[in-house]
Amino acid sequence: MTGEGRLARFAAFWDDYRQSWIAVAALAVVVLTLGLAFAAPLVAPQNPYDLQALDLGDARLPPGETGSAGYVHWLGTDSAGRDLFSAILYGLRISFLIGVLAGAFALVIGATIGLVAAYYGGRIEALIMRIVDLQLSLPAILLALVLVALLGQGLGQLVAALVAAQYAYFARTTHGAASAERRKDYIEAALSTPLPAGRVLFRHLLPNALPPLIVVATVQVANAIALEATLSFLGLGLPVTTPSLGSLISNGFQYLLSGRYWISIYPGIALMIVVVAINLVGDQVRHVLNPRRSR
Amino acid sequence: MLGFLFQRVLQAAAVIVVMSVVVFIGVYAIGNPIDVMIDPAADQKLRAALIARYGLDQPLVVQYFYFAKNVLSGDLGESMVYRLPVMQLILSRFPATLELALSAMVIATVVGIPLGIWAGYRPDAMSSKVIMGLSVLGFSVPTFWVGLLLILAFAVEIGILPSGGRGTVGTLFGIPTSLATWDGIQHLILPALNLSLFKMGLLIRLTRAGMQEAMSADYVRFARAQGLGDGEVIFRHVLKNIAIPIVTVFGLEFGSTLAFAVVTETIFNWPGMGKLIIDSIITLDRPVMVAYLILVVFLFVVINLVVDLAYGQLDPRIRTRGAS
């Protein structure tokens, strides 16, 4: 496809996408939070991971108080004296990093498995899809929980657990789309040329099975972020020295009952905004890409 | 039919065996539980004696063999923390989880289905859009965060409901349950509501989709042409037709409600199975982890098997495809 064709297709997609102002607002929120997360070291008044910069005398300050460093803690501080605004920005960074890494690995692994199953068919297909279906019948939270328990704590382990819990969604979706494409004439034609099978699979079959995958990918990034937060909340995620949004909420939980609501609530609001915004974007993309939609 | 049944039961048994091997190896791979159990200063003799007592000095295959033999005779080992048989421990926690999960399912059904019917009946009304927006929230906002908000609102700010724990347990028709006492019900409301929200969102969407599809179907047009009112069309004809997929999905979701209870039980300090598994992961209580996981896998496989068989009954095409 030429560059111009791609541009035209994207313009058409965008025309459809912006029909819903909620979806446009959600996209703006995603872009803004991504930007803030990227720019965290420039925007945040404090590096919350630098234990030397933390002052326990500043612990649990309510929102709006001025701390010992001389600036106002607009969202208050947590039990270690971290400025919550800074901690949330750095936490967003970790959450996005984990969500995107897990989503990307799960996409690559799941799509490859789904493609292979659809291409070979027969026994291989039956075996692969049987395993995938079995995994889909188990809740992702349970799988992730078990894997984190088995693999131990840390960023790599967490991502591995999320990928293992999520790849099956991609495999199922790719398999569904690819087996429909597989029977079409252009694939049969491509396979009858001396092109290697891998090239036909990835250059011809995959691009045409892509739209549903994009939708699943968006939703799975949000799911990965939510899952990571849940695991961290349960005490099985990242260590408290580099808090993600989930561990910030978890740390504040014990102070919730004594009325120090801000330690849990502000990171929670950040988490909710991000997850809901990504889901809304995914919903609209699904709507626009749906081939059965009446135009 | 017998062949189909036999094949499916065999498949289910194979899945359980494979999963038990995976779980056993996986759990074996994490740290030595002896180091967690005893004082690091304890002497080598005590350590060796304990290792021998739990059979940890045997090769992995032998350990699995003994483990499988014990499981088949109903013995899942002994908790290293509570010093109780695991089976007894899990069964003692099971009623609390079951009560929580069932209450959540009831709340989700009673609230979700009417809302879904309305949203499908009047898809363009403002109220329907609000309902659908809320169902997206129920879907995407993490359970634990909603739980925190519920505690903050009802236990801290308004202060009318307890923030956690299971209240007084009374007996109702001979079954010990929180529903028998007012204190118990008060303790149950927040966790049950928390656990129900995800299912509620799912149920609203399912019911709405079914309603929308059914309302444009020929039999509805025909019923209307006969002069039936909308209420009669919906309750006498449409509901019957959309019930089957909803009931099926809901049946499947019951297993995942039990699993999601892990999160809700931790937030509300509910003494069920979910809290037990989290505690056992943190304390590396190996026998409890293995037993819980195998029980969960067993539960899911049985639920799937029942649904598969029910489908085979309802739709003969599935039966023949499965057997070929």
Side-chain angles (χ1 to χ4, degrees):
Chain A
M1 193 186 293
T2 63
E4 253 172 61
R6 267 191 202 147
L7 207 66
R9 261 178 45 158
F10 182 75
F13 171 81
W14 175 245
D15 260 359
D16 278 347
Y17 184 90
R18 67 195 176 97
Q19 296 303 315
S20 158
W21 65 268
I22 295 179
V24 175
L27 184 64
V29 168
V30 173
V31 172
L32 182 75
T33 43
L34 258 178
L36 275 176
F38 253 112
L42 305 173
V43 184
Q46 180 197 67
N47 177 0
Y49 302 158
D50 181 6
L51 295 176
Q52 314 247 287
L54 303 178
D55 185 346
L56 275 178
D58 288 339
R60 297 186 289 279
L61 290 177
E65 291 262 316
T66 308
S68 58
Y71 57 87
V72 181
H73 297 293
W74 291 110
L75 301 181
T77 60
D78 76 354
S79 56
R82 282 189 194 98
D83 173 49
L84 266 177
F85 177 64
S86 314
I88 289 173
L89 291 184
Y90 276 79
L92 268 178
R93 245 180 158 197
I94 296 188
S95 292
F96 271 124
L97 179 70
I98 290 175
V100 171
L101 275 181
F105 277 115
L107 171 77
V108 171
I109 295 171
T112 309
I113 290 176
L115 274 181
V116 166
Y119 173 73
Y120 285 104
R123 285 214 173 153
I124 296 177
E125 181 180 33
L127 180 70
I128 291 179
M129 294 325 287
R130 193 83 202 151
I131 294 172
V132 166
D133 281 344
L134 176 77
Q135 221 197 305
L136 283 176
S137 72
L138 299 170
I141 174 84
L142 203 68
L143 284 170
L145 196 72
V146 171
L147 287 166
V148 166
L150 299 182
L151 300 172
Q153 299 192 334
L155 190 77
Q157 287 93 326
L158 203 53
V159 171
L162 293 174
V163 169
Q166 293 190 310
Y167 85 91
Y169 295 92
F170 291 98
R172 175 90 264 175
T173 313
T174 313
H175 175 255
S179 16
E181 291 295 321
R182 171 77 177 78
R183 283 189 285 274
K184 291 189 181 163
D185 288 344
Y186 75 94
I187 295 293
E188 292 296 341
L191 283 174
S192 65
T193 63
L195 286 175
R199 196 182 151 93
V200 177
L201 271 182
F202 288 98
R203 292 296 295 274
H204 298 271
L205 195 52
L206 184 61
N208 287 297
L210 212 50
L213 262 186
I214 296 172
V215 176
V216 174
T218 336
V219 176
Q220 287 304 323
V221 168
N223 279 350
I225 291 176
L227 260 182
E228 181 276 321
T230 305
L231 291 174
S232 294
F233 178 78
L234 293 173
L236 300 169
L238 293 172
V240 281
T241 43
T242 53
S244 68
L245 290 177
S247 15
L248 284 173
I249 299 169
S250 170
N251 292 342
F253 183 41
Q254 49 182 314
Y255 302 104
L256 191 71
L257 294 179
S258 56
R260 296 189 180 93
Y261 65 92
W262 62 89
I263 309 179
S264 270
I265 295 304
Y266 290 133
I269 291 176
L271 173 71
M272 185 171 77
I273 290 174
V274 167
V275 171
V276 172
I278 299 179
N279 269 309
L280 287 173
V281 170
D283 250 17
Q284 181 69 356
V285 173
R286 184 204 317 270
H287 181 71
V288 171
L289 294 181
N290 186 357
R292 285 190 297 175
R293 193 172 59 104
S294 51
R295 280 172 190 262
Chain B
M1 184 60 206
L2 209 63
F4 174 72
L5 181 78
F6 184 70
Q7 191 195 16
R8 276 300 144 92
V9 172
L10 212 64
Q11 267 182 1
V15 166
I16 292 174
V17 170
V18 170
M19 287 301 280
S20 78
V21 173
V22 171
V23 166
F24 190 80
I25 294 174
V27 173
Y28 184 89
I30 58 168
N32 188 340
I34 299 298
D35 296 333
V36 185
M37 284 166 63
I38 58 172
D39 181 8
D43 64 359
Q44 280 300 319
K45 238 165 106 183
L46 180 67
R47 207 180 123 88
L50 262 175
I51 288 179
R53 185 180 156 203
Y54 286 104
L56 296 172
D57 51 349
Q58 305 282 337
L60 192 54
V61 183
V62 178
Q63 282 191 43
Y64 177 77
F65 182 72
Y66 279 120
F67 165 78
K69 207 176 105 194
N70 288 338
V71 168
L72 287 177
S73 57
D75 176 14
L76 286 164
E78 184 182 271
S79 160
M80 292 171 170
V81 173
Y82 296 92
R83 308 274 162 166
L84 284 171
V86 170
M87 207 57 187
Q88 188 189 332
L89 194 63
I90 292 181
L91 287 182
S92 73
R93 301 290 193 95
F94 187 64
T97 299
L98 190 65
E99 177 181 282
L100 182 63
L102 285 178
S103 311
M105 299 286 279
V106 170
I107 295 176
T109 314
V110 171
V111 180
I113 290 188
L115 288 182
I117 291 179
W118 176 254
Y121 177 59
R122 288 255 177 278
D124 294 319
M126 198 59 214
S127 54
S128 300
K129 289 195 170 142
V130 172
I131 292 172
M132 292 318 288
L134 289 178
S135 84
V136 172
L137 284 187
F139 239 75
S140 48
V141 177
T143 310
F144 78 95
W145 163 244
V146 180
L148 284 189
L149 289 183
L150 288 174
I151 290 181
L152 185 66
F154 293 99
V156 180
E157 292 299 322
I158 310 178
I160 46 168
L161 290 170
S163 67
R166 195 182 182 198
T168 321
V169 178
T171 39
L172 202 67
F173 308 121
I175 305 162
T177 167
S178 303
L179 293 169
T181 64
W182 176 232
D183 180 55
I185 293 175
Q186 278 187 315
H187 278 84
L188 184 60
I189 293 175
L190 286 186
L193 184 64
N194 183 215
L195 190 57
S196 76
L197 289 175
F198 186 85
K199 306 291 156 217
M200 208 187 281
L202 183 72
L203 211 50
I204 290 176
R205 302 202 131 208
L206 270 174
T207 315
R208 184 186 86 128
M211 270 296 282
Q212 277 188 314
E213 208 175 306
M215 288 309 276
S216 57
D218 284 342
Y219 70 88
V220 168
R221 240 179 280 167
F222 199 73
R224 279 186 167 152
Q226 279 187 311
L228 291 184
D230 273 0
E232 216 165 346
V233 171
I234 292 173
F235 289 102
R236 278 196 41 196
H237 297 287
V238 174
L239 271 190
K240 267 184 218 160
N241 279 287
I242 63 175
I244 296 166
I246 293 176
V247 170
T248 314
V249 173
F250 217 51
L252 282 176
E253 284 292 314
F254 184 66
S256 83
T257 310
L258 288 178
F260 266 102
V262 170
V263 179
T264 300
E265 285 178 7
T266 308
I267 304 167
F268 291 95
N269 210 11
W270 188 263
M273 276 163 45
K275 183 107 180 50
L276 184 69
I277 180 71
I278 295 289
D279 291 345
S280 73
I281 288 175
I282 290 168
T283 55
L284 287 185
D285 194 350
R286 229 191 245 184
V288 177
M289 285 167 70
V290 174
Y292 175 88
L293 292 176
I294 290 179
L295 276 180
V296 169
V297 169
F298 181 74
L299 200 70
F300 271 93
V301 169
V302 169
I303 293 175
N304 281 345
L305 181 67
V306 169
V307 171
D308 264 6
L309 294 179
Y311 268 159
Q313 276 297 316
L314 292 172
D315 190 345
R317 282 174 302 180
I318 295 175
R319 199 158 59 217
T320 44
R321 184 156 45 108
S324 64

PDB file of all heavy atoms in Angstrom, chain B residues 103-117:
ATOM      1  N   SER B 103     -24.490 -14.130  47.245  1.00  0.00           N
ATOM      2  CA  SER B 103     -25.139 -12.832  47.469  1.00  0.00           C
ATOM      3  C   SER B 103     -24.816 -11.883  46.328  1.00  0.00           C
ATOM      4  O   SER B 103     -25.689 -11.151  45.843  1.00  0.00           O
ATOM      5  CB  SER B 103     -24.665 -12.212  48.782  1.00  0.00           C
ATOM      6  OG  SER B 103     -24.734 -13.127  49.820  1.00  0.00           O
ATOM      7  N   ALA B 104     -23.549 -11.884  45.887  1.00  0.00           N
ATOM      8  CA  ALA B 104     -23.147 -10.990  44.797  1.00  0.00           C
ATOM      9  C   ALA B 104     -23.895 -11.339  43.512  1.00  0.00           C
ATOM     10  O   ALA B 104     -24.363 -10.451  42.788  1.00  0.00           O
ATOM     11  CB  ALA B 104     -21.636 -11.086  44.566  1.00  0.00           C
ATOM     12  N   MET B 105     -24.040 -12.648  43.230  1.00  0.00           N
ATOM     13  CA  MET B 105     -24.751 -13.063  42.021  1.00  0.00           C
ATOM     14  C   MET B 105     -26.211 -12.619  42.082  1.00  0.00           C
ATOM     15  O   MET B 105     -26.778 -12.177  41.083  1.00  0.00           O
ATOM     16  CB  MET B 105     -24.715 -14.589  41.872  1.00  0.00           C
ATOM     17  CG  MET B 105     -23.342 -15.185  41.740  1.00  0.00           C
ATOM     18  SD  MET B 105     -22.567 -14.930  40.155  1.00  0.00           S
ATOM     19  CE  MET B 105     -23.330 -16.190  39.188  1.00  0.00           C
ATOM     20  N   VAL B 106     -26.816 -12.748  43.270  1.00  0.00           N
ATOM     21  CA  VAL B 106     -28.220 -12.344  43.409  1.00  0.00           C
ATOM     22  C   VAL B 106     -28.365 -10.847  43.168  1.00  0.00           C
ATOM     23  O   VAL B 106     -29.236 -10.405  42.403  1.00  0.00           O
ATOM     24  CB  VAL B 106     -28.762 -12.735  44.813  1.00  0.00           C
ATOM     25  CG1 VAL B 106     -30.119 -12.096  45.053  1.00  0.00           C
ATOM     26  CG2 VAL B 106     -28.842 -14.244  44.935  1.00  0.00           C
ATOM     27  N   ILE B 107     -27.485 -10.051  43.787  1.00  0.00           N
ATOM     28  CA  ILE B 107     -27.558  -8.597  43.597  1.00  0.00           C
ATOM     29  C   ILE B 107     -27.397  -8.263  42.111  1.00  0.00           C
ATOM     30  O   ILE B 107     -28.170  -7.489  41.530  1.00  0.00           O
ATOM     31  CB  ILE B 107     -26.468  -7.874  44.414  1.00  0.00           C
ATOM     32  CG1 ILE B 107     -26.723  -8.069  45.910  1.00  0.00           C
ATOM     33  CG2 ILE B 107     -26.435  -6.388  44.073  1.00  0.00           C
ATOM     34  CD1 ILE B 107     -25.655  -7.475  46.795  1.00  0.00           C
ATOM     35  N   ALA B 108     -26.391  -8.877  41.466  1.00  0.00           N
ATOM     36  CA  ALA B 108     -26.124  -8.587  40.051  1.00  0.00           C
ATOM     37  C   ALA B 108     -27.339  -8.928  39.195  1.00  0.00           C
ATOM     38  O   ALA B 108     -27.704  -8.183  38.282  1.00  0.00           O
ATOM     39  CB  ALA B 108     -24.900  -9.369  39.575  1.00  0.00           C
ATOM     40  N   THR B 109     -27.999 -10.049  39.489  1.00  0.00           N
ATOM     41  CA  THR B 109     -29.158 -10.468  38.690  1.00  0.00           C
ATOM     42  C   THR B 109     -30.337  -9.523  38.894  1.00  0.00           C
ATOM     43  O   THR B 109     -30.947  -9.048  37.937  1.00  0.00           O
ATOM     44  CB  THR B 109     -29.591 -11.889  39.100  1.00  0.00           C
ATOM     45  OG1 THR B 109     -28.434 -12.702  39.178  1.00  0.00           O
ATOM     46  CG2 THR B 109     -30.560 -12.468  38.115  1.00  0.00           C
ATOM     47  N   VAL B 110     -30.650  -9.267  40.169  1.00  0.00           N
ATOM     48  CA  VAL B 110     -31.830  -8.469  40.488  1.00  0.00           C
ATOM     49  C   VAL B 110     -31.706  -7.053  39.936  1.00  0.00           C
ATOM     50  O   VAL B 110     -32.680  -6.467  39.474  1.00  0.00           O
ATOM     51  CB  VAL B 110     -32.054  -8.453  42.025  1.00  0.00           C
ATOM     52  CG1 VAL B 110     -33.120  -7.459  42.397  1.00  0.00           C
ATOM     53  CG2 VAL B 110     -32.419  -9.845  42.499  1.00  0.00           C
ATOM     54  N   VAL B 111     -30.497  -6.508  39.952  1.00  0.00           N
ATOM     55  CA  VAL B 111     -30.309  -5.150  39.448  1.00  0.00           C
ATOM     56  C   VAL B 111     -30.001  -5.160  37.946  1.00  0.00           C
ATOM     57  O   VAL B 111     -30.549  -4.367  37.185  1.00  0.00           O
ATOM     58  CB  VAL B 111     -29.167  -4.430  40.211  1.00  0.00           C
ATOM     59  CG1 VAL B 111     -28.985  -3.019  39.679  1.00  0.00           C
ATOM     60  CG2 VAL B 111     -29.476  -4.396  41.694  1.00  0.00           C
ATOM     61  N   GLY B 112     -29.140  -6.071  37.525  1.00  0.00           N
ATOM     62  CA  GLY B 112     -28.619  -6.037  36.157  1.00  0.00           C
ATOM     63  C   GLY B 112     -29.642  -6.350  35.076  1.00  0.00           C
ATOM     64  O   GLY B 112     -29.692  -5.675  34.053  1.00  0.00           O
ATOM     65  N   ILE B 113     -30.449  -7.390  35.279  1.00  0.00           N
ATOM     66  CA  ILE B 113     -31.369  -7.810  34.210  1.00  0.00           C
ATOM     67  C   ILE B 113     -32.438  -6.754  33.902  1.00  0.00           C
ATOM     68  O   ILE B 113     -32.618  -6.393  32.737  1.00  0.00           O
ATOM     69  CB  ILE B 113     -31.967  -9.197  34.520  1.00  0.00           C
ATOM     70  CG1 ILE B 113     -30.846 -10.235  34.381  1.00  0.00           C
ATOM     71  CG2 ILE B 113     -33.123  -9.531  33.584  1.00  0.00           C
ATOM     72  CD1 ILE B 113     -31.289 -11.668  34.464  1.00  0.00           C
ATOM     73  N   PRO B 114     -33.130  -6.206  34.936  1.00  0.00           N
ATOM     74  CA  PRO B 114     -34.108  -5.142  34.614  1.00  0.00           C
ATOM     75  C   PRO B 114     -33.458  -3.946  33.906  1.00  0.00           C
ATOM     76  O   PRO B 114     -34.010  -3.423  32.934  1.00  0.00           O
ATOM     77  CB  PRO B 114     -34.655  -4.738  35.974  1.00  0.00           C
ATOM     78  CG  PRO B 114     -34.424  -5.904  36.860  1.00  0.00           C
ATOM     79  CD  PRO B 114     -33.179  -6.552  36.366  1.00  0.00           C
ATOM     80  N   LEU B 115     -32.267  -3.547  34.372  1.00  0.00           N
ATOM     81  CA  LEU B 115     -31.590  -2.407  33.727  1.00  0.00           C
ATOM     82  C   LEU B 115     -31.250  -2.744  32.277  1.00  0.00           C
ATOM     83  O   LEU B 115     -31.394  -1.910  31.376  1.00  0.00           O
ATOM     84  CB  LEU B 115     -30.320  -2.032  34.489  1.00  0.00           C
ATOM     85  CG  LEU B 115     -30.506  -1.349  35.845  1.00  0.00           C
ATOM     86  CD1 LEU B 115     -29.152  -1.007  36.451  1.00  0.00           C
ATOM     87  CD2 LEU B 115     -31.347  -0.089  35.715  1.00  0.00           C
ATOM     88  N   GLY B 116     -30.794  -3.981  32.049  1.00  0.00           N
ATOM     89  CA  GLY B 116     -30.450  -4.403  30.689  1.00  0.00           C
ATOM     90  C   GLY B 116     -31.671  -4.433  29.788  1.00  0.00           C
ATOM     91  O   GLY B 116     -31.620  -4.028  28.620  1.00  0.00           O
ATOM     92  N   ILE B 117     -32.793  -4.902  30.327  1.00  0.00           N
ATOM     93  CA  ILE B 117     -34.037  -4.947  29.541  1.00  0.00           C
ATOM     94  C   ILE B 117     -34.436  -3.533  29.134  1.00  0.00           C
ATOM     95  O   ILE B 117     -34.751  -3.257  27.977  1.00  0.00           O
ATOM     96  CB  ILE B 117     -35.164  -5.615  30.366  1.00  0.00           C
ATOM     97  CG1 ILE B 117     -34.868  -7.100  30.543  1.00  0.00           C
ATOM     98  CG2 ILE B 117     -36.514  -5.409  29.684  1.00  0.00           C
ATOM     99  CD1 ILE B 117     -35.890  -7.837  31.354  1.00  0.00           C
TER     100      ILE B 117
END
